[in-house]
Amino acid sequence: METRESYKQIGYSGREFFQQQSPLLGNQFLEDSALIEGLKRVLPQEVYSSIQPDLVQFGDRVVKDILELGRQSENNPPKLIQYDAWGKRIDKLVIDESWNTLKDIGATEGLVSIGYERKYREYSRVYQYIKIYLFACSSAVQDCPLSMTDGGARLLELHGSKELMQTVYPHLTTRDPKQFWTTGQWMTEKAGGSDVANSETIAKEITGGQCQDNGAGIPTHFVSGYKYFTSATSSQGAMILARDTDAQGKSTNGSRGLSVFYVQLRDKNTGELNNIKIHKLKNKFGTKAVPTAELELINTPGIRVGSKGRGVPVIASILNITRIHNVIHSVSTMRRCVAIARDFAHRRRVFTSTLNENLLYLSTLAEMELEYRAGLQFLLDVSLLLGKSECNSTKETDSLLRILTPLSKLYTAKQSIWVASEAMECLGGTGYMEDSDLPRLFRDTQVTSIWEGTTNVLSMDVWRSIKSHNSLKYYKDSITARISASKSSSSSALFETSIKLINKALDLIERTSRQVMEEGDLQFAESNARRFSYLLSTTYMASLLLEQAIWSKKPVDAQICERWCFLKLQNAKEDSQSIAFINADEKWRELDKVLALDLNEKGEARGYGDYCKFTNQPRSRY
Ligand code: MFK
């Protein structure tokens, strides 16, 4: 194929030097075969046909203007100017215009609104979240404020007063960029991150009309306290956790004393902060364009949302949304990393061949792609469940969503960190260089295992969901339903090994949960919580890959499911040690190639080259 760049360049000395071509990216929807197949499975045909053109246009934008804006935002991170030349405290946040433009794009593309317009009923969430998935890695993590805005809209829908639904909700769910607001979620304090029961921020009831309508309605409380991490401080509003105090200053300890308050950050006329001092912008490992601050609220007017003392369950309605956004970001990172490493495989010649013929490179890339595909299935599944739960809540859907939200969040975060790290290695020394963009992707996804609850905190939340929602029953039911479907499928013979391994994993899950739930072995539960969550996640993902294979009827999808089970569920065998070597026979190596290069049925590779095969447009530098 013709290439735009030559492998050779003439140096100033007149000598010829080798010049490596950089990887390119094409339309991020059209080149994502696993996504297209997955969407076709989970969506009714008419919904898929209706949204497909929008996904095609957006898949193009995310490697063009959006990518450029994201890069600009990264290169111009936010700054805080605390004092003016005359010593007056101003706490001015200086935000690059590109960041605001990305927010505007978020509005016009419907990245929050699609989920609330519900044009496609329970399928709306899948549509919305796949758009954000396309956006995330190009957007300098603009998906962070959008995720909290999404959570804020859901919180208002569930717990907001009529007034807040009229004043704030329309701003969070509009497509008009001039009207669009984002909201933050301010929980974390120095004394309480995971353990929010230690929160010190207080809220005093306002009496006697001391406060005027500030754009969101008449404030009910003055909120005071120190918040240690406030993501997206450029937002217009925030949902804040604070402790109610009475006139004598008395309050209830623990999480039962907490409520949620909506705060309007800036004065609607002057644009100045409403009794808020920004003490510093956080010096973070990644997400550099996101203005995360440490700040103090000093009698900041707020409006209580939801019932008094129910702050944790009320704010959990945000957490349960933002945790799914975490899944989106993690899966998006895996996909972007694989896309870069795949294109590079076709361009990089080492030893005697290009990397697309190097067995070891293919094997590594195949494992990365496998992680991505399993993560993608998890994302599609929880997005659909969320849509179902919102449109037609049932005990089964809600309980399943309750356990799968922490599971998908904690597992995909770890997957993406591994995949991003491998992708850097795939590009060798250049992958470690800042301008290769791989370090940014790595740093930005490292936080997904910390944001919105660490792996350990979420593993304990899984046990909580089993206890409070009987969620393990619905979890097991959904897996056994897929196993039953595979048995009645015309290609059932292809699934035998997978089913054997899934059943073994289910046995181990059963024994573990019995030891905890029936024998009350809480120390065993706590010390094994992370291992148990991983087992629950990998087993569930195996069942989703099985469902995809049953649907597609493609033998290669059955092999992909089997590969996953083999690599991830072997440890479910009581006696097994992890296998040191795999019998990588011809069949195994062939699947490596299919996964690594995304070969179609004719054996043609996808996702590489100078021109996108689907649009004939030049592919973009990422
Ligand atoms: C691109 C992606 C962008 C992501 C956004 C980035 C922004 C980043 C900003 C942040 O990181 S914000 C900080 C996030 N912080 C956390 O996620 C806190 C982690 N800690 C937990 O999740 C703890 O488990 C929790 C604070 C919930 C524990 O609180 P408690 O009060 O000690 O728990 P408890 O007593 O078990 O639960 C209190 C109530 O809440 C119970 O209801 P009931 O009173 O009716 O029994 C629980 O059932 C309910 N609850 C807890 N977790 C829930 C929940 N309800 C529904 N869903 C949940 N997940």
Side-chain angles (χ1 to χ4, degrees):
M1 170 179 264
E2 282 286 303
T3 55
R4 280 187 292 162
E5 290 173 71
S6 163
Y7 275 103
K8 299 278 181 212
Q9 286 207 340
I10 307 290
Y12 292 108
S13 63
R15 291 191 56 204
E16 222 179 41
F17 294 110
F18 172 77
Q19 175 60 50
Q20 177 59 50
Q21 295 176 358
S22 62
L24 301 177
L25 292 175
N27 185 302
Q28 287 301 284
F29 174 70
L30 290 171
E31 290 190 352
D32 196 340
S33 67
L35 173 64
I36 293 172
E37 289 283 291
L39 281 177
K40 284 183 178 166
R41 174 176 70 78
V42 300
L43 297 176
Q45 210 256 318
E46 69 278 9
V47 174
Y48 179 79
S49 305
S50 174
I51 66 173
Q52 194 262 5
D54 186 43
L55 296 178
V56 172
Q57 73 79 26
F58 202 54
D60 203 39
R61 276 195 89 178
V62 296
V63 289
K64 292 190 174 151
D65 62 321
I66 292 174
L67 189 58
E68 278 309 313
L69 289 162
R71 195 167 289 137
Q72 192 181 324
S73 290
E74 286 291 335
N75 292 338
N76 299 283
K79 287 191 200 74
L80 174 64
I81 301 175
Q82 278 176 310
Y83 294 92
D84 72 6
W86 307 99
K88 185 182 168 209
R89 182 93 189 233
I90 52 171
D91 289 355
K92 187 176 170 196
L93 264 183
V94 182
I95 306 283
D96 192 75
E97 212 28 57
S98 55
W99 180 254
N100 295 327
T101 309
L102 284 165
K103 172 181 168 246
D104 291 352
I105 291 172
T108 48
E109 291 283 352
L111 299 188
V112 176
S113 65
I114 291 170
Y116 296 87
E117 290 160 0
R118 301 206 172 101
K119 181 174 169 195
Y120 298 101
R121 306 170 313 281
E122 68 260 44
Y123 305 107
S124 305
R125 284 297 196 179
V126 175
Y127 175 28
Q128 176 198 3
Y129 286 172
I130 290 310
K131 283 196 84 169
I132 298 178
Y133 153 90
L134 293 170
F135 182 70
C137 286
S138 298
S139 74
V141 200
Q142 178 73 225
D143 52 324
C144 168
L146 294 178
S147 75
M148 292 187 289
T149 308
D150 189 354
R154 185 66 185 144
L155 185 150
L156 289 180
E157 208 174 43
L158 291 172
H159 306 284
S161 62
K162 223 168 155 186
E163 193 177 26
L164 282 171
M165 284 302 282
Q166 281 165 1
T167 54
V168 178
Y169 179 84
H171 285 286
L172 310 189
T173 54
T174 178
R175 283 179 185 250
D176 177 356
K178 290 198 179 68
Q179 297 295 322
F180 183 54
W181 292 354
T182 54
T183 46
Q185 144 219 354
W186 298 356
M187 299 172 64
T188 309
E189 300 188 9
K190 289 184 181 179
S194 299
D195 187 5
V196 299
N198 284 332
S199 297
E200 295 170 327
T201 298
I202 55 159
K204 270 194 221 153
E205 203 165 332
I206 300 174
T207 50
Q210 293 173 56
C211 216
Q212 289 182 346
D213 183 343
N214 60 11
I218 308 282
T220 59
H221 290 75
F222 286 127
V223 183
S224 300
Y226 197 100
K227 293 288 174 184
Y228 199 44
F229 289 97
T230 61
S231 281
T233 313
S234 51
S235 292
Q236 283 73 14
M239 300 291 179
I240 297 182
L241 215 48
R243 194 171 298 287
D244 282 281
T245 53
D246 63 18
Q248 285 73 43
K250 285 204 188 112
S251 59
T252 307
N253 288 337
S255 66
R256 300 254 164 207
L258 298 169
S259 306
V260 172
F261 298 87
Y262 173 77
V263 159
Q264 193 82 352
L265 264 61
R266 290 174 178 79
D267 184 276
K268 64 178 175 183
N269 301 315
T270 63
E272 287 190 10
L273 285 164
N274 275 329
N275 300 356
I276 295 171
K277 296 268 178 254
I278 304 179
H279 288 309
K280 67 186 273 198
L281 282 183
K282 301 297 259 189
N283 186 5
K284 293 169 289 173
F285 178 61
T287 69
K288 302 273 190 190
V290 182
T292 307
E294 215 171 287
L295 53 77
E296 195 173 348
L297 303 142
I298 309 137
N299 282 331
T300 309
I303 300 175
R304 187 162 54 211
V305 194
S307 307
K308 184 175 173 181
R310 298 295 293 158
V312 173
V314 170
I315 211 150
S317 53
I318 301 188
L319 291 179
N320 289 332
I321 296 282
T322 47
R323 285 173 182 170
I324 298 178
H325 279 265
N326 241 278
V327 180
I328 305 174
H329 194 91
S330 302
V331 178
S332 173
T333 302
M334 287 193 266
R335 160 66 194 155
R336 180 61 59 91
C337 288
V338 168
I340 294 167
R342 174 174 295 141
D343 183 90
F344 186 66
H346 292 272
R347 297 175 188 277
R348 179 68 176 162
R349 176 170 283 275
V350 284
F351 307 116
T352 54
S353 63
T354 38
L355 285 174
N356 61 5
E357 291 174 13
N358 180 303
L359 292 183
L360 192 45
Y361 191 92
L362 291 176
S363 163
T364 308
L365 192 49
E367 275 196 44
M368 292 158 68
E369 170 76 7
L370 187 62
E371 295 290 345
Y372 157 63
R373 287 196 188 209
L376 173 73
Q377 294 298 337
F378 221 163
L379 169 60
L380 291 171
D381 192 67
V382 287
S383 307
L384 186 56
L385 268 176
L386 177 65
K388 283 185 178 166
S389 158
E390 288 172 347
C391 291
N392 181 22
S393 163
T394 63
K395 169 105 180 94
E396 183 188 349
T397 314
D398 297 352
S399 302
L400 200 48
L401 187 62
R402 183 66 187 85
I403 188 170
L404 294 181
T405 301
L407 283 178
S408 56
K409 191 279 188 187
L410 71 89
Y411 199 78
T412 56
K414 291 292 188 197
Q415 287 180 295
S416 73
I417 294 166
W418 179 79
V419 171
S421 166
E422 287 295 341
M424 276 204 261
E425 209 172 316
C426 284
L427 269 63
T430 304
Y432 191 63
M433 297 299 112
E434 286 294 347
D435 46 7
S436 77
D437 208 33
L438 264 304
R440 180 188 70 77
L441 288 169
F442 177 75
R443 282 197 300 265
D444 288 352
T445 212
Q446 178 69 52
V447 77
T448 57
S449 69
I450 300 171
W451 260 349
E452 308 301 295
T454 60
T455 313
N456 286 359
V457 166
L458 291 184
S459 298
M460 293 309 291
D461 190 49
V462 169
W463 275 122
R464 194 186 285 122
S465 84
I466 293 172
K467 217 170 126 204
S468 65
H469 284 69
N470 194 18
S471 59
L472 202 56
K473 171 190 162 8
Y474 300 99
Y475 165 94
K476 286 185 288 194
D477 286 353
S478 76
I479 294 178
T480 43
R482 292 185 188 104
I483 292 175
S484 302
S486 76
K487 286 183 178 153
S488 48
S489 129
S490 53
S491 22
S492 57
L494 296 176
F495 305 127
E496 270 173 22
T497 309
S498 300
I499 291 173
K500 219 165 92 191
L501 288 168
I502 295 173
N503 276 328
K504 266 182 189 295
L506 283 175
D507 282 349
L508 183 58
I509 289 166
E510 182 62 37
R511 284 204 302 279
T512 309
S513 66
R514 221 180 297 132
Q515 186 165 346
V516 175
M517 305 309 282
E518 287 171 22
E519 296 164 30
D521 193 343
L522 297 182
Q523 287 186 346
F524 169 84
E526 187 169 336
S527 53
N528 278 301
R530 183 190 275 238
R531 271 180 285 274
F532 187 52
S533 292
Y534 286 1
L535 176 64
L536 290 170
S537 302
T538 48
T539 308
Y540 193 78
M541 289 155 109
S543 78
L544 293 173
L545 289 169
L546 183 68
E547 189 172 348
Q548 183 71 30
I550 299 166
W551 173 85
S552 79
K553 300 190 176 65
K554 290 182 187 165
V556 70
D557 285 338
Q559 281 178 38
I560 288 170
C561 176
E562 189 178 303
R563 172 75 62 96
W564 177 265
C565 294
F566 192 72
L567 291 177
K568 300 285 179 174
L569 302 184
Q570 280 285 338
N571 286 337
K573 280 208 269 178
E574 261 179 336
D575 55 347
S576 97
Q577 298 295 312
S578 64
I579 28 174
F581 293 101
I582 282 162
N583 179 21
D585 58 12
E586 202 176 320
K587 209 171 134 204
W588 183 281
R589 292 195 300 273
E590 191 46 43
L591 186 60
D592 272 352
K593 207 166 162 187
V594 168
L595 280 168
L597 303 179
D598 194 15
L599 302 181
N600 66 15
E601 285 91 344
K602 294 182 198 152
E604 297 160 341
R606 284 174 286 212
Y608 77 100
D610 291 351
Y611 293 88
C612 177
K613 290 180 177 47
F614 306 95
T615 60
N616 290 326
Q617 300 267 327
R619 298 170 84 239
S620 309
R621 274 180 199 283
Y622 63 93

